[in-house]
Structures are given as structure tokens and as C-alpha cells.
Amino acid sequence: MPPSKTEAAYRLLKSQIEDLTLPPGAKLGEVPLAERLGASRTPVREAIRRLAREGLVRFAPGEVAEVAPVSLAGVRALFEFRQILEPAAARLVTRDGRTDPERIAAFHSLLSDLRAVRAGIDEAGPVGTDGPADGPTDDRRAAAVRTFHALTERFDQALIAAVRNPPLAKTIADTRGQTARLRAIAHAAPGRPALSLGEHLAMTEAVVAGDPDRAAGEVARHLTATLDTVMTALTRGDLPASVDVRM
């Protein structure tokens, strides 16, 4: 069953905000968006309101919608919040998985896929050792990195789905849109995807091994490393020119 027009507009706009195709500060006029999406203004308006509830869109003076800005204070506050929520969720999920293996079944399959991606990257070898940058080896490496990006989202969704505490799961889920946009910034840093892959392997291995404290610790370490990477990119200006960073 195809998605509704509102859902289709929401998914497209959210995707473009997350990958910075629609950068912070971009105006979201209902009429031009409706024309571009081939829809009426009503589904576009509803999609914008939904994105506003997720913190990805704000209404500037005059009720003009725009992509929410990225601010250093906002990034730090978001990660401080995640540092409270996500290690706790990992600890609970890992603990529950000891007596309810089905609860962490998604992490077993995720671990297998993460290891396969690591093997693919290792087989490709260091960048530039096998021909030009657009050669077969680098193509394989790029494909593995794209697969890994999808796996990071699978980890987050698996954690949300496995938490028995509904308020905790919902609160984590509500941060996903903002987190995904910052992930695109973090993964743009040279060498960061490989480091993040190792961190996701460590987190997933801890959950599967049934070690709650280790799982919580690995999640906390991953969040700290990601925050450091994002803050470095924001303060150095290692971003597309269209991304306006505010203090």
C-alpha cells in the first residue's frame, strides 16, 4: 500500500533535511514545495508541522517555515540528553535479553552484518592502494560504508524497539531526526566511519554477550566520540558552505 501524500512529503523532506540537501535555514514555502512534490498544499503543510514537532523545522517570524538551525549549544544539549537516555536503554535491553533472548534477536543479526561490513572494508585495504580513487576497490569500500550507514540506523531502531519502558523508547525515538542530521556531519569527517563501525561492533557485541554495564559503557563512549567529532566539524567550519552554524 503506497504511503499517503502527507507521509510521502514528510519522508522526502525529512530525508533531504537529514542529508543536508535542505540545509539549516532553508525556507520551506508551501507553494514551491507543493509544486516540486506534485502535491497540494495541505499534505505539505501537515508534513512541515510534523517535522516541526520533531525539532527539524521551526517557524520564523511571520510563520514562515524553515529548516531548524544547527547551534553549538543545541548540539551539546542534545548529546548530554542522549548520554542520559541511551546508555540506560542499552543496560535495560541487555539485562532483559538474558532472560528473553528473543528481545535481542535483532542485535544478533546486526552483529553478523556489522562484521561482514568490517570484513569488506578490510578486504578493500587502505585507500588508494588499488588503482585510482574511482577504481573497483574504492567502489567496494564506498559501498561498504553506505551499508554501514544503514546499519547505524538499524542499531538505533533495534534499541528503541527492545526497550520495555515505553516513555524511554518514545523519548529516544523523538531525538532521531536531529541525531540523523548530525550523523551526516560526523560521518563526513575523514576516518570517522571506520571508527564508528568499531564502536557499533563493540556496542552490539556487549548486548549480545549479555553484559549490561559494558553495553552502557560502550554506548556512552560512542556518544562522546561522536559529539567530539561533530563539535570539531562545527567549530572548524568543515561543513558545506550552505550550513549556517550558530553559537
Side-chain angles (χ1 to χ4, degrees):
M1 182 176 178
S4 67
K5 291 183 179 180
T6 297
E7 183 67 20
Y10 164 78
R11 290 182 186 179
L12 179 59
L13 291 175
K14 183 175 183 179
S15 174
Q16 292 183 346
I17 290 171
E18 290 177 351
D19 68 12
L20 302 178
T21 299
L22 286 171
K27 303 301 181 184
L28 301 176
E30 291 179 11
V31 173
L33 281 176
E35 292 175 350
R36 181 160 67 86
L37 299 175
S40 67
R41 293 178 61 179
T42 298
V44 171
R45 183 181 306 118
E46 289 304 314
I48 289 173
R49 287 175 177 170
R50 183 173 170 185
L51 291 165
R53 290 194 294 271
E54 296 179 9
L56 291 174
V57 168
R58 73 169 190 172
F59 289 96
E63 288 299 299
V64 176
E66 66 179 22
V67 178
V70 172
S71 72
L72 299 181
V75 170
R76 190 171 294 282
L78 174 64
F79 273 85
E80 288 174 350
F81 192 40
R82 292 182 66 193
Q83 283 278 19
I84 296 170
L85 301 175
E86 295 177 33
R91 179 177 283 108
L92 291 172
V93 167
T94 306
R95 183 200 64 190
D96 291 343
R98 290 172 165 178
T99 55
D100 183 6
E102 185 60 29
R103 183 160 292 275
I104 61 169
F107 290 92
H108 285 272
S109 61
L110 179 60
L111 180 57
S112 176
D113 290 343
L114 284 167
R115 286 172 173 167
V117 169
R118 165 62 65 83
I121 292 176
D122 289 346
E123 288 174 4
V127 176
T129 59
D130 185 19
D134 59 350
T137 296
D138 288 329
D139 287 345
R140 290 196 301 272
R141 183 184 298 102
V145 171
R146 285 194 298 272
T147 300
F148 166 63
H149 289 169
L151 295 179
T152 62
E153 182 63 22
R154 271 179 56 190
F155 179 91
D156 294 338
Q157 294 302 330
L159 190 65
I160 292 168
V163 176
R164 290 184 187 273
N165 185 305
L168 178 57
K170 183 180 185 303
T171 305
I172 294 173
D174 288 345
T175 69
R176 299 311 309 145
Q178 298 177 64
T179 297
R181 180 165 60 157
L182 297 175
R183 177 187 294 153
I185 293 173
H187 285 181
R192 179 57 193 160
L195 293 173
S196 184
L197 172 57
E199 292 159 10
H200 278 80
L201 273 166
M203 293 187 293
T204 307
E205 287 169 350
V207 174
V208 170
D211 188 335
D213 290 340
R214 179 182 159 206
E218 294 294 352
V219 169
R221 277 186 282 276
H222 166 67
L223 291 172
T224 297
T226 303
L227 174 59
D228 289 346
T229 302
V230 172
M231 293 297 285
T232 297
L234 296 178
T235 54
R236 289 183 179 176
D238 298 336
L239 299 164
S242 58
V243 178
D244 178 25
V245 180
R246 305 185 185 184
M247 301 303 288

